[in-house]
Amino acid sequence: MLLLAVEERELEPARAYAEALGGEEVDLREDPWFADDLTGGFVIEGGYALDAMGATTAMAEAARRAGVDFRLGCEAKRILAAGGRVHGVATDEGVVPTECVVVTTGPRLRFLPRTVGVDVPVVASRGWLLETTRVDPPPTYAVEQAAWPLQDEMASLVGAPTLGEVAEGAAEQPGLVSLLLGPRPAGHCLIGTSLRR
């Protein structure tokens, strides 16, 4: 992975992050992928772009082989618990007995756990991605701009606004813009993203 400092203010945080992970500073002036006026770049070994569809398919196949029973098109309505222990899930097809529940519903994750009094603080945000046609030459690295915030900072930028913030127009304020670029196996690139409420 290449951690890219586009502006001067990004250089020191990028350097500190790279040093903490054993990264090394690189000279990007000879690389045709980058402009000569970038502030700096750091290669961090072991950082890769994950193909979400491929990873999801691989995890589902591993789960199937381990004996997981998939019930596609069957909506879970409520987790059933007694004495602090899960014993089933109420679904469209009736009660499914189980000792454990894994909730993977993305931004709607909060709804099902609330049926047993658990609130998971997950909020939705919007982002934009673009997939290119094949590029030649392909990028040598997955690229992340150093302006990308830490998780806690990101939560404050894209978290659900309060009613007062909506009334003041805060929900319409621009979100965060930072470059992420991931090379794809077939020679395409996935480029993003910005986040906003």
Side-chain angles (χ1 to χ4, degrees):
M1 180 182 81
L2 177 69
L3 184 62
L4 191 62
V6 175
E7 300 175 8
E8 191 66 38
R9 65 182 173 79
E10 300 170 5
L11 186 60
E12 284 313 308
R15 180 174 283 121
Y17 181 74
E19 286 175 359
L21 296 175
E24 295 184 12
E25 192 162 4
V26 291
D27 185 350
L28 300 173
R29 289 175 293 188
E30 301 300 317
D31 192 317
W33 261 86
F34 300 103
D36 292 338
D37 61 350
L38 295 171
T39 304
F42 302 86
V43 172
I44 301 169
E45 296 300 331
Y48 301 95
L50 177 68
D51 176 29
M53 184 62 75
T56 301
T57 303
M59 285 187 283
E61 178 59 18
R64 185 194 64 75
R65 288 181 182 178
V68 169
D69 176 24
F70 288 97
R71 296 180 187 222
L72 305 177
C74 173
E75 185 175 338
K77 303 290 188 181
R78 153 175 232 100
I79 298 172
L80 305 174
R85 302 209 37 101
V86 170
H87 61 82
V89 177
T91 75
D92 289 341
E93 298 174 359
V95 173
V96 177
T98 184
E99 295 178 7
C100 123
V101 175
V102 178
V103 182
T104 59
T105 54
R108 291 174 174 71
L109 181 132
R110 297 180 93 157
F111 302 130
L112 196 58
R114 282 181 178 165
T115 64
V116 287
V118 175
D119 189 29
V120 182
V122 172
V123 295
S125 62
R126 258 189 330 193
W128 289 266
L129 295 175
L130 167 77
E131 185 171 68
T132 69
T133 59
R134 291 178 62 97
V135 294
D136 187 32
T140 309
Y141 309 102
V143 178
E144 177 178 342
Q145 186 179 350
W148 200 248
L150 299 173
Q151 294 297 319
D152 290 344
E153 294 174 63
M154 192 182 306
S156 69
L157 288 168
V158 300
T162 65
L163 185 56
E165 289 172 328
V166 171
E168 293 171 3
E172 299 305 316
Q173 291 175 359
L176 168 76
V177 178
S178 181
L179 168 74
L180 295 170
L181 181 142
R184 311 285 283 166
H188 303 77
C189 287
L190 191 62
I191 303 172
T193 185
S194 59
L195 293 177
R196 64 176 299 171
R197 294 173 171 172

